Amino acid sequence: EKTKENVFSKLTKMIAGKSTVDDDVLDELEEILVTSDVGVSTTLKIIERIEDRVARDKYLGTSELNAILREEITGLLEENNSADFDKLNINDNARPYVIMVVGVNGVGKTTTIGKLAHKFKQSGKKVVLGAADTFRAAAVDQLHIWGDRVGVRVVSQQMGSDPASVAYDTLQSAVANGEDVAIIDTAGRLHNKVGLMNELTKIKNVMQKVVPDAPHEILLVLDASTGQNAIEQCKQFTQATDVNALALTKLDGTAKGGVVIGISDQFKIPVKYIGVGEGINDLQLFNKVEFVNSLFKN
Amino acid sequence: MFDNLSDKLDRAFKVLKGHGSITEINVAETVKEVRKALLDADVNYKTAKAFTDTVKEKALGMNVLTSVSPGQLMVKVVNDELVELMGGNVSELDIKQNPSIILIAGLNGAGKTTFTGKLANYLKTQKGKKPFLVAADVYRPAAIDQLKVLSEQIGVPVYTDYESKDPVKIAEAGIAKAKADGNTVVIIDTAGRLAIDEQMMNEIADVKAATKPHEILFVVDSMTGQDAVNTAKAFNDRLDFTGVVLTKLDGDTRGGAALSIKSVVNKPIKFIGTGEKMDAIDVFYPDRMASRILGMGDVVSLVERA
Ligand SMILES: Nc1nc2c(ncn2[C@@H]2O[C@H](COP(=O)(O)OP(=O)(O)OP(=O)(O)O)[C@@H](O)[C@H]2O)c(=O)[nH]1
Ligand SMILES: Nc1nc2c(ncn2[C@@H]2O[C@H](COP(=O)(O)OP(=O)(O)OP(=O)(O)O)[C@@H](O)[C@H]2O)c(=O)[nH]1
Ligand SMILES: [Mg+2]
Ligand SMILES: [Mg+2]
């Protein structure tokens, strides 16, 4: 809290009483944003907004400035995250509600699934997990341990079997068991590997044979410590699978995850969840105001 | 995709073309483009600034040379400086001891366990060593199983203890077993941890103190952004690691984190990971990384165009 206010008050002091923003202020702002992984072009966009705002409002008092800075940055997120998800919002008519989780290697997909399953279970839903990462060493075991922890069923086949077939099985048994939510884990894959990206499209198509409008949610998991490459990840995964929600993990570290500001602005995909630890309860719903505030911490 | 630096510099060089020498004014324009490209490549903000300041100074100092165009000069200055910063030559692993102890450390999901397997496979197949693995991650679900599967894939023994929750004891017991069995390299896989997690950082410092490793390798995801410097510095302050491993370079990241880490801890990058399979490991070549960050595979052709 204290250090966060320091950055704001430093900026505020620099801008207060001026009708234009001078270079020192912009440099300071640029440094804060770029070092949060916001990226050069999004940073320039934000700075333009501030300049416009300052020019339009002419005189700016100290008290208004904090708010303006926050507002303008939040704006880029706000346009696409029109309302923060105040609860786990899933379509109750879709049963099972199918979530397919995708992303590059090691970002936290499997862990996020475990935490998410716990949240759904707590809210009274019946959950089943599908172990469609049949490639990475011990990936199936890892998901089973999460299933045991949470107390939900896991559908799996042998390592090396066809991931699409696991996804298919999972949905079939979810329908048979009357489960409310089915979450499909997939193997980590780098977005520039065409064959692996096509595999995702196939998994998706196969699921539709069981539940025609599945998957209802395609959750792309991004690691908060990732830099500008996250933009390309988002682009390629969206092209292959129509990603419609983002999860930002590892925000309990020092990385700020600022790259999602540009992503949210450019792709119009809302950030839905954040990961703040390795434990079962370390998943939160994304809150844009808190997120923007955290950019200005230390 | 990013505009790559060659395009950006080409644009900036238009400013330079037609001028016989590098002046404060025209170099400023080019340097701005270089800096932007570095930031797009995830080079740390401060590192990029310091880097371009140096480049600017060097370029201005060289404006007496009239045999080359200013554009050519700038490309050369930028590339040379980057290669130098990345570290001149390939840095070897210290595996002379018997057994040599190698401790693996890094953030969650960076690729430590996978690299542990790859390194063992590399030392076994390329260096004639008898590697031995130790599974000292007691936290991540199925971490031990993961290393066990890899050890079977590569045919290298592994020490596991599913009951113990003490990485120090596991590491010590593992080393004792490795020695008794006549192995020549011991590689200890550890849990992913955040640099700000005091307890976990203490734990790995304890593992270091107990095992006295000859090499401590800091494994980092090449897609890491601005935070790379904080993390690398914190791990280095705590562990004084001997080298860096850059993983997932089979992706399309520019990998600017490599430059940031090098400049903040000044430790050599020793290996790169280029895939999920056990043979997807390579020694690190500084010049290749410099080109990758700049986004110019072929510096020469750029010079010719400038
Ligand atoms: N500190 C922290 N660690 C996390 C978080 N989410 C996941 N992790 C850790 O990150 C590492 C990788 O997580 P996984 O869930 O296995 O990642 P994944 O995307 O499934 O990985 P692959 O399937 O191998 O691609 C593990 O050590 C997790 O405990 C988080 O929010 N904070
Ligand atoms: N494409 C690619 N994937 C890699 C590379 N190295 C590791 N991976 C993948 O990255 C993911 C995480 O790797 P792990 O070895 O489990 O990472 P870790 O650092 O041990 O993770 P924790 O123990 O949970 O902290 C897995 O999906 C690996 O297959 C690489 O060089 N290229
Ligand atoms: Mg996984
Ligand atoms: Mg591991």
Side-chain angles (χ1 to χ4, degrees):
Chain A
E1 270 307 295
K2 197 169 154 234
T3 40
K4 170 180 79 193
E5 289 312 321
N6 284 345
V7 177
F8 272 117
S9 61
K10 195 167 162 195
L11 283 172
T12 302
K13 244 181 257 151
M14 289 169 139
I15 309 179
K18 292 175 182 163
S19 57
T20 57
V21 189
D22 65 29
D23 288 350
D24 287 347
V25 176
L26 297 184
D27 281 355
E28 178 81 14
L29 193 57
E30 181 193 85
E31 178 168 357
I32 293 167
L33 295 174
V34 170
T35 54
S36 304
D37 291 315
V38 171
V40 177
S41 55
T42 307
T43 295
L44 292 177
K45 194 166 175 179
I46 291 169
I47 285 178
E48 255 167 50
R49 281 174 168 233
I50 307 263
E51 283 184 309
D52 287 352
R53 185 78 179 264
V54 170
R56 195 172 66 232
D57 297 352
K58 289 290 185 290
Y59 177 81
L60 289 170
T62 319
S63 57
E64 294 147 308
L65 282 162
N66 270 353
I68 285 174
L69 280 171
R70 291 173 208 232
E71 271 170 33
E72 291 301 334
I73 299 165
T74 312
L76 289 175
L77 284 167
E78 193 141 8
E79 281 152 20
N80 322 299
N81 290 269
S82 44
D84 283 328
F85 298 89
D86 54 353
K87 55 179 175 25
L88 285 177
N89 94 342
I90 62 167
N91 179 359
D92 284 323
N93 297 325
R95 179 185 278 217
Y97 182 79
V98 179
I99 305 174
M100 171 168 153
V101 180
V102 301
V104 300
N105 306 84
V107 288
K109 293 176 292 299
T110 308
T111 308
T112 301
I113 289 168
K115 299 179 204 172
L116 202 51
H118 179 62
K119 263 208 171 354
F120 280 122
K121 198 185 172 206
Q122 276 186 319
S123 73
K125 305 275 183 211
K126 271 180 82 182
V127 185
V128 61
L129 308 180
D133 177 357
T134 59
F135 178 72
R136 214 222 45 230
V140 174
D141 298 330
Q142 187 187 2
L143 194 70
H144 269 288
I145 292 175
W146 272 107
D148 291 346
R149 251 185 213 181
V150 178
V152 297
R153 214 161 60 84
V154 177
V155 174
S156 64
Q157 294 178 11
Q158 279 187 341
M159 287 301 292
S161 55
D162 178 15
S165 146
V166 178
Y168 183 88
D169 276 5
T170 310
L171 295 208
Q172 268 204 327
S173 81
V175 170
N177 273 282
E179 266 130 351
D180 305 301
V181 183
I183 313 178
I184 309 296
D185 191 15
T186 64
R189 66 200 73 220
L190 293 175
H191 51 281
N192 59 340
K193 309 215 163 153
V194 178
L196 294 177
M197 295 306 279
N198 288 342
E199 183 187 86
L200 285 181
T201 319
K202 185 185 159 201
I203 297 174
K204 192 183 136 183
N205 292 341
V206 166
M207 287 198 283
Q208 291 171 349
K209 291 185 183 159
V210 187
V211 180
D213 51 351
H216 307 92
E217 185 168 321
I218 299 180
L219 183 67
L220 174 67
V221 180
L222 298 171
D223 181 329
S225 62
T226 305
Q228 299 309 299
N229 193 249
I231 296 170
E232 200 58 26
Q233 291 173 20
C234 194
K235 193 168 160 188
Q236 299 303 336
F237 275 97
T238 302
Q239 236 163 52
T241 62
D242 303 311
V243 171
N244 57 10
L246 302 174
L248 188 62
T249 61
K250 310 184 194 175
L251 272 173
D252 46 327
T254 43
K256 299 291 170 63
V259 70
V260 298
I261 295 177
I263 286 177
S264 169
D265 184 48
Q266 191 179 331
F267 298 96
K268 314 291 173 201
I269 301 170
V271 183
K272 213 164 169 181
Y273 307 106
I274 61 168
V276 293
E278 299 184 69
I280 196 167
N281 289 308
D282 294 327
L283 186 79
Q284 297 172 3
L285 295 163
F286 180 72
N287 176 309
K288 54 186 173 291
V289 174
E290 264 174 34
F291 179 77
V292 171
N293 282 345
S294 76
L295 295 181
F296 292 92
K297 256 184 226 156
N298 63 59
Chain B
M1 202 53 197
F2 313 106
D3 270 6
N4 65 37
L5 184 62
S6 30
D7 293 342
K8 285 180 175 173
L9 283 185
D10 267 357
R11 248 179 283 136
F13 285 152
K14 295 212 176 75
V15 183
L16 288 175
K17 267 190 223 166
H19 295 264
S21 64
I22 292 177
T23 68
E24 284 276 359
I25 295 165
N26 59 22
V27 83
E29 196 66 28
T30 319
V31 158
K32 218 169 100 185
E33 288 301 327
V34 172
R35 191 170 151 258
K36 232 158 88 186
L38 293 174
L39 293 176
D40 277 342
D42 293 318
V43 173
N44 175 261
Y45 187 82
K46 289 204 170 75
T47 309
K49 212 161 201 171
F51 179 82
T52 46
D53 284 349
T54 314
V55 163
K56 190 169 167 180
E57 215 171 275
K58 293 215 165 149
L60 285 171
M62 287 167 93
N63 73 355
V64 285
L65 291 177
T66 49
S67 54
V68 284
S69 78
Q72 287 175 326
L73 206 56
M74 280 303 292
V75 174
K76 194 173 160 10
V77 172
V78 170
N79 191 64
D80 288 356
E81 190 60 26
L82 206 50
V83 172
E84 194 180 314
L85 257 180
M86 293 304 312
N89 11 28
V90 175
S91 186
E92 295 281 340
L93 207 60
D94 176 9
I95 42 167
K96 295 182 296 289
Q97 331 296 323
N98 198 2
S100 295
I101 314 283
I102 304 175
L103 180 63
I104 307 295
L107 293 184
N108 303 87
K112 293 174 297 299
T113 305
T114 307
F115 176 73
T116 301
K118 288 180 189 176
L119 181 61
N121 188 44
Y122 168 84
L123 293 175
K124 178 185 167 181
T125 59
Q126 320 259 313
K127 300 280 168 184
K129 293 281 167 185
K130 279 186 73 186
F132 184 93
L133 306 179
V134 178
D137 176 355
V138 300
Y139 305 101
R140 170 175 166 163
I144 299 173
D145 294 325
Q146 187 186 358
L147 193 65
K148 209 167 166 184
V149 169
L150 298 180
S151 83
E152 279 158 19
Q153 272 177 26
I154 59 175
V156 164
V158 61
Y159 178 82
T160 62
D161 181 348
Y162 284 86
E163 304 309 315
S164 174
K165 287 286 161 218
D166 184 351
V168 173
K169 291 223 174 84
I170 293 171
E172 285 172 338
I175 291 171
K177 172 90 171 108
K179 280 181 178 163
D181 294 353
N183 295 286
T184 55
V185 184
V186 182
I187 311 174
I188 306 168
D189 182 29
T190 64
R193 65 200 74 224
L194 294 172
I196 51 167
D197 187 332
E198 261 317 298
Q199 206 181 327
M200 288 296 283
M201 292 308 281
N202 286 340
E203 181 199 272
I204 195 156
D206 290 346
V207 173
K208 177 187 171 178
T211 59
K212 304 195 175 50
H214 307 99
E215 289 274 358
I216 301 175
L217 298 179
F218 175 62
V219 178
V220 61
D221 185 325
S222 61
M223 295 176 275
T224 309
Q226 297 286 319
D227 191 53
V229 288
N230 304 325
T231 308
K233 194 173 177 307
F235 271 82
N236 194 47
D237 286 351
R238 218 43 215 274
L239 294 177
D240 189 21
F241 54 69
T242 57
V244 178
V245 176
L246 273 183
T247 62
K248 309 178 197 174
L249 272 169
D250 45 326
D252 58 5
T253 180
R254 283 267 190 277
L259 180 65
S260 315
I261 292 172
K262 190 77 202 348
S263 73
V264 72
V265 297
N266 198 29
K267 294 285 169 67
I269 299 172
K270 296 196 171 177
F271 290 98
I272 61 169
T274 57
E276 297 190 68
K277 303 240 173 76
M278 285 297 101
D279 58 358
I281 176 175
D282 207 345
V283 291
F284 176 77
Y285 295 99
D287 51 336
R288 291 186 198 165
M289 197 65 215
S291 304
R292 182 173 181 133
I293 292 171
L294 288 175
M296 40 189 207
D298 192 356
V299 178
V300 180
S301 79
L302 182 64
V303 171
E304 279 161 2
R305 277 186 288 138

